[in-house]
Amino acid sequence: MNKTLVAALISTVLVTPSALATEIFKDDVNAVSIGGFVDARVINTQGETEVVNGASRINFGFDRQLQDGWKAYAKLEWGVNPVGSTDIVYNNRFESIQDEFFYNRLGYVGLAHNTYGSITIGKQWGAWYDVVYSTNYGFVWDGNTAGVYTYNKDDGAVNGVGRGDKTVQYRNSFGDVSFAVQVQLKNSEFYTCDIEDITQEACEDLWTTGSAEAQQVEYNYTYGGAVTYQATEKLVLTAGINRGEFDVTFGNGRASTAIDLIYGMGITWGNFDQNGFYAAANVNKNENHDTDNIGRLIDEAVGVESLFSYMFDNNIRTFVSYNILDAGSDYVIQPNYNADPNDVFKRQFVVMGLHYVFNPETVVYLEARRDYSDFTSSDKDQQARMELSEDDGVAFGIRYSL
């Protein structure tokens, strides 16, 4: 049993990459730490230049030593928007366009033991994130092709692949192999209508009257798991899967079921925050797992993310990443969408970055995105809406970690 690896999993895998924390209280039993960062940036994209929030957040960690080698711990994390609300839409994490000053990101409590592993309950990073997180180091434009930020760049809460809601997760390690398994215990029922600008209440009323344009959707439990193999000091291999299920009942009485499935693998070499070369890549196959940029469920897609970085001795870090999510054409299977069978969805872009790392807690950065996506459609209005959030861009910012 590699107890060091177990401890590392407990303290780091459940939070985002490069997470830092400062201990503010400690006695013989309890410890409290504070972490997070403030990130503000100037971004130029979609013909606009504006100051925007860079996914700033604050978190508190709590640890309590128990008898017989057990430990209790908890984490609470909120996103914060220090620059005020903004109307600009760009291809970044969902929280970067939140209007609220505070909003929930993570909240879980757990028990851990060096031999028996750990169990956590709450809103937490999903097991699937273990497979793909190593390409998610860009500050401004992260991947959005690894199946984490689903439903048009949301936080992955619905299907448990990102910051999953109502998740129970177990982790443990044997030698150089660690694993995570989870179940998402929730009951979700909502209504969708093939009509723009309709409220949830009006859509439900339409479904009640028997309209074929309205659907009742039940999306409840999801399941997932991941395996990590520390092959060498620098080489890490990952693999995982996540599954959910939609039950759809149309207003006219017709019913159907769609399986939400994603599976894939990843490879990582080196450490992004240390001097020298770093490389990471992952690939996934998914079905009914995400939506296109106007909310239509994607039948099948293949996603690839890659990132290559080099950090010099003078504190300059450079990186380039290439990402693609290819659903091809005829990817919308829901007949009521009335989609053109020749519609194409291919999200594809390159990001280049230059970071000056004063120290791990203070980074000044410049990042640029070049878009190569293809959202061809005979409906030019829909095509324009699809292309809006996938534009080229350049951003300059400062990240100050707590």
Side-chain angles (χ1 to χ4, degrees):
M1 170 67 65
N2 189 334
K3 295 184 178 182
T4 302
L5 186 55
V6 173
L9 284 169
I10 293 169
S11 62
T12 62
V13 172
L14 295 179
V15 296
T16 53
S18 299
L20 298 171
T22 301
E23 194 169 73
I24 59 175
F25 172 81
K26 183 176 176 61
D27 61 19
D28 293 339
V29 176
N30 299 291
V32 180
S33 61
I34 184 172
F37 57 77
V38 177
D39 187 319
R41 62 190 57 147
V42 179
I43 186 170
N44 176 267
T45 187
Q46 302 169 25
E48 301 284 347
T49 300
E50 193 167 354
V51 172
V52 298
N53 174 33
S56 304
R57 79 280 307 259
I58 186 170
N59 60 63
F60 295 90
F62 306 88
D63 289 273
R64 176 173 296 154
Q65 299 300 322
L66 305 174
Q67 61 269 31
D68 302 323
W70 287 94
K71 179 180 80 169
Y73 61 104
K75 181 174 285 290
L76 298 171
E77 180 173 276
W78 297 271
V80 296
N81 187 358
V83 303
S85 61
T86 178
D87 294 325
I88 197 169
V89 178
Y90 65 102
N91 185 24
N92 194 15
R93 297 182 183 174
F94 179 74
E95 62 268 26
S96 295
I97 57 172
Q98 289 283 340
D99 289 331
E100 298 86 356
F101 181 73
F102 277 104
Y103 48 96
N104 175 247
R105 281 177 53 92
L106 296 170
Y108 58 85
V109 62
L111 292 171
H113 191 280
N114 279 339
T115 300
Y116 304 122
S118 68
I119 185 167
T120 47
I121 302 174
K123 183 175 177 65
Q124 55 192 305
W125 285 103
W128 173 252
Y129 196 57
D130 292 12
V131 181
V132 299
Y133 80 89
S134 59
T135 56
N136 192 24
Y137 282 106
F139 287 177
V140 185
W141 289 281
D142 47 25
N144 289 319
T145 64
V148 175
Y149 303 112
T150 53
Y151 299 97
N152 196 17
K153 311 180 189 95
D154 206 338
D155 70 349
V158 173
N159 39 18
V161 286
R163 296 188 296 274
D165 288 343
K166 302 181 179 181
T167 300
V168 180
Q169 191 174 100
Y170 174 75
R171 293 177 176 273
N172 209 336
S173 173
F174 298 94
D176 294 322
V177 177
S178 60
F179 69 91
V181 292
Q182 73 176 43
V183 59
Q184 198 176 15
L185 302 176
K186 61 189 182 67
N187 293 280
S188 301
E189 181 180 286
F190 55 93
Y191 296 86
T192 64
C193 287
D194 304 319
I195 301 171
E196 291 188 18
D197 299 323
I198 186 171
T199 65
Q200 184 74 183
E201 292 77 11
C203 185
E204 181 178 356
D205 291 341
L206 198 61
W207 181 82
T208 304
T209 63
S211 171
E213 293 184 305
Q215 306 98 44
Q216 180 192 67
V217 181
E218 291 187 22
Y219 189 80
N220 297 317
Y221 306 148
T222 72
Y223 312 88
V227 177
T228 299
Y229 174 48
Q230 186 81 43
T232 69
E233 183 179 353
K234 291 188 175 183
L235 178 63
V236 179
L237 306 175
T238 58
I241 188 170
N242 197 83
R243 185 187 187 279
E245 187 173 299
F246 295 93
D247 292 318
V248 183
T249 303
F250 295 86
N252 61 7
R254 187 167 60 88
S256 65
T257 297
I259 303 300
D260 172 357
L261 180 67
I262 186 169
Y263 55 92
M265 60 185 66
I267 183 171
T268 305
W269 177 270
N271 188 315
F272 185 76
D273 293 314
Q274 294 179 358
N275 289 356
F277 178 67
Y278 174 85
N282 53 72
V283 59
N284 72 83
K285 177 72 165 38
N286 61 78
E287 303 171 11
N288 302 305
H289 182 68
D290 206 347
T291 59
D292 66 11
N293 293 352
I294 56 176
R296 300 179 300 188
L297 194 64
I298 295 174
D299 180 21
E300 294 183 353
V302 174
V304 175
E305 289 192 4
S306 61
L307 186 146
F308 305 92
S309 170
Y310 196 91
M311 187 160 177
F312 297 90
D313 294 338
N314 60 2
N315 298 334
I316 291 177
R317 177 170 60 211
T318 61
F319 79 86
V320 59
S321 64
Y322 169 75
N323 304 280
I324 181 171
L325 179 64
D326 191 356
S329 60
D330 196 21
Y331 64 90
V332 183
I333 62 172
Q334 175 56 265
N336 286 21
Y337 282 129
N338 297 317
D340 188 320
N342 295 315
D343 278 6
V344 174
F345 184 87
K346 181 188 289 186
R347 178 183 292 152
Q348 182 177 215
F349 58 94
V350 173
V351 177
M352 293 179 290
L354 179 66
H355 296 179
Y356 185 77
V357 185
F358 285 96
N359 52 50
E361 296 83 15
T362 312
V363 182
V364 176
Y365 60 88
L366 177 68
E367 295 185 8
R369 181 187 195 272
R370 179 68 174 176
D371 187 68
Y372 299 96
S373 300
D374 182 0
F375 303 119
T376 304
S377 174
S378 59
D379 187 327
K380 297 308 176 185
D381 177 63
Q382 285 191 355
Q383 180 173 325
R385 290 165 58 201
M386 295 274 280
E387 292 171 343
L388 180 62
S389 64
E390 308 289 347
D391 201 2
D392 299 341
V394 61
F396 167 80
I398 302 171
R399 176 167 293 191
Y400 180 95
S401 297
L402 304 178

